[in-house]
Amino acid sequence: MKTVGIIAEYNPFHKGHAYQIEQAKALTGATYAVVLMSGNYVQRGTPAITDKYTRTKMALEAGADIVLELPVYYATASAELFSKGGISVLSSTHIIDTLSFGCETPDISLLTSLADFYCQEPKEYKEALTNFLKQGYSFPAAREKATLFYHQTLGCSQKELSEVQSILNNPNNILGLEYCKAIEQEGHPFSIMPVQRTNEYHGTTLTSHFVSASGLRQSYKEKQSFEKWESYIPSASLSHLKAAEHRTFPLYEDDFSSLLYYKLLQTSDLDAYVDCTPDLAKKIKKNLPNFKNFSDFTELLKSKDLVHTRISRILLHILLDLKKDTFPTKVPYTRLLGLKKESSHLLKSVSEIPIITKVADARKKLPPQAYALLEKEILCNDLYSHICQQKFHTSIPSEFKQSPIIR
């Protein structure tokens, strides 16, 4: 009996995600798929378009057997920390045999060799990276330039350079690289199985059988309807989304604008928050008089050295009060969001970290520092629920009353 692990957001769940789960099981021969999913906030620095329990239902209906939650500190972090946190949780549960992830290239050897390169960080590469950062490039752009520069010095062919550039130009490849890095650096006992994506990750138009989550979010934002979504979302998933409409769906970053503006106004030490620098803190304060809403302010702060998603993440960290000095060095727990009854025996494995099934019992299971992190996460989820209540005038169960979804 084999179990495959998948790290995901499902924001929202679509047929491409169902295809990945199906292929991950088929390619690995796994009987079960364990999904580690972001909760109510996601890695691009925004709230999820609908709540984590609705997304859990969609995942379980489409082939996931267990859905665990990646804590908010890691779910909203950079690609490197997001990946480290995800790999750490899956490894700690002692359930997973193979990690599977969507990517734009199925070439495992190319991914692993490039991941090994980043683990080693040759001196010439580090010097080139520093040089490009000093020139004002963002970290992703500087890393790509430094990587290509180093491989050119090795005499790599144009074809090889193009393959490396293709890896670094695609977001899922970058996450795949970070997964491979984390596995190598920490010595996690996983094999890997990439599943080649069949759609454009950032595509915002509905033009093919498989479409990106970005495209679905954009289409709803423009039309405020589920028109044409039947072609791109499994029928059961679409039913769950329709049930969540005007209850927890759709939620956008701009729904949090007033709270963010107030937090920015009354906070003096902005650089104390995760990923924020002193220079960006000054820039935020300088531009506050021009604040209109969350998304516009993100665009206003964007620059050559600061990409949109990083700024959005930082603003979200400030809003959620996620500070550098409380960032956990290791993920101390995970939460069970849902499972199929026939897979419940998997949770009987001896996990290195507590798997929280009832928040009310968490204080007994967690040491004080870990429980303090959980309390912070509960506050973040309470805020998400409050915005839903404010926007849709609906009542949502608190984290203490919500049980895992059982199918």
Side-chain angles (χ1 to χ4, degrees), residues 225-292:
S225 76
F226 292 112
E227 182 186 358
K228 298 182 180 178
W229 277 36
E230 288 85 354
S231 300
Y232 307 107
I233 293 188
S235 58
S237 298
L238 188 57
S239 295
H240 290 307
L241 269 183
K242 288 180 176 178
E245 191 176 27
H246 307 313
R247 183 175 177 273
T248 65
F249 173 90
L251 215 62
Y252 302 110
E253 64 265 41
D254 287 343
D255 295 318
F256 292 72
S257 295
S258 294
L259 289 173
L260 173 62
Y261 180 62
Y262 177 72
K263 186 68 184 289
L264 295 175
L265 275 178
Q266 58 93 38
T267 304
S268 58
D269 59 339
L270 294 176
D271 57 323
Y273 291 89
V274 175
D275 215 20
C276 192
T277 64
D279 285 345
L280 180 58
K282 291 177 184 176
K283 190 175 182 180
I284 289 172
K285 287 294 186 182
K286 181 181 177 180
N287 284 280
L288 262 181
N290 302 313
F291 186 100
K292 294 180 181 178

Side-chain angles (χ1 to χ4, degrees), residues 347-361:
L347 296 178
K348 295 178 182 178
S349 299
V350 181
S351 176
E352 292 176 28
I353 59 173
I355 299 176
I356 306 300
T357 55
K358 291 179 63 177
V359 172
D361 296 336

Side-chain angles (χ1 to χ4, degrees), residues 205-391:
T205 56
L206 308 185
T207 56
S208 63
H209 179 63
F210 292 116
V211 70
S212 70
S214 299
L216 289 168
R217 292 193 302 269
Q218 186 62 31
S219 74
Y220 189 91
K221 201 168 191 178
E222 291 172 355
K223 298 181 180 180
Q224 293 296 302
S225 76
F226 292 112
E227 182 186 358
K228 298 182 180 178
W229 277 36
E230 288 85 354
S231 300
Y232 307 107
I233 293 188
S235 58
S237 298
L238 188 57
S239 295
H240 290 307
L241 269 183
K242 288 180 176 178
E245 191 176 27
H246 307 313
R247 183 175 177 273
T248 65
F249 173 90
L251 215 62
Y252 302 110
E253 64 265 41
D254 287 343
D255 295 318
F256 292 72
S257 295
S258 294
L259 289 173
L260 173 62
Y261 180 62
Y262 177 72
K263 186 68 184 289
L264 295 175
L265 275 178
Q266 58 93 38
T267 304
S268 58
D269 59 339
L270 294 176
D271 57 323
Y273 291 89
V274 175
D275 215 20
C276 192
T277 64
D279 285 345
L280 180 58
K282 291 177 184 176
K283 190 175 182 180
I284 289 172
K285 287 294 186 182
K286 181 181 177 180
N287 284 280
L288 262 181
N290 302 313
F291 186 100
K292 294 180 181 178
N293 56 46
F294 195 135
S295 58
D296 282 350
F297 198 55
T298 302
E299 282 296 314
L300 180 64
L301 297 173
K302 188 175 69 172
S303 60
K304 180 182 176 182
D305 64 329
L306 286 170
V307 297
H308 182 281
T309 50
R310 183 181 172 194
I311 294 170
S312 189
R313 281 197 299 269
I314 292 168
L315 293 177
L316 183 64
H317 294 155
I318 294 169
L319 173 65
L320 299 181
D321 200 42
L322 304 181
K323 293 186 175 182
K324 297 172 185 175
D325 62 2
T326 55
F327 196 100
T329 55
K330 186 178 180 181
V331 185
Y333 62 83
T334 184
R335 293 178 61 189
L336 176 67
L337 294 178
L339 57 75
K340 292 179 179 174
K341 290 180 181 178
E342 59 267 28
S343 62
S344 60
H345 65 279
L346 294 175
L347 296 178
K348 295 178 182 178
S349 299
V350 181
S351 176
E352 292 176 28
I353 59 173
I355 299 176
I356 306 300
T357 55
K358 291 179 63 177
V359 172
D361 296 336
R363 190 184 291 274
K364 300 174 185 176
K365 292 186 175 183
L366 298 176
Q369 189 174 9
Y371 188 74
L373 292 173
L374 178 61
E375 286 184 310
K376 173 72 72 175
E377 189 157 27
I378 291 169
L379 286 174
C380 294
N381 290 322
D382 285 345
L383 178 61
Y384 187 97
S385 296
H386 171 72
I387 296 297
C388 288
Q389 290 169 336
Q390 186 179 59
K391 183 175 182 179

Side-chain angles (χ1 to χ4, degrees), residues 132-151:
F132 286 120
L133 288 170
K134 286 181 178 177
Q135 293 178 38
Y137 289 98
S138 66
F139 179 79
R143 182 168 75 163
E144 179 181 337
K145 286 181 173 293
T147 303
L148 292 173
F149 170 81
Y150 179 80
H151 283 78

Side-chain angles (χ1 to χ4, degrees), residues 61-75:
E61 297 279 359
D65 297 284
I66 292 177
V67 181
L68 302 173
E69 182 177 1
L70 179 63
V72 67
Y73 272 92
Y74 284 90

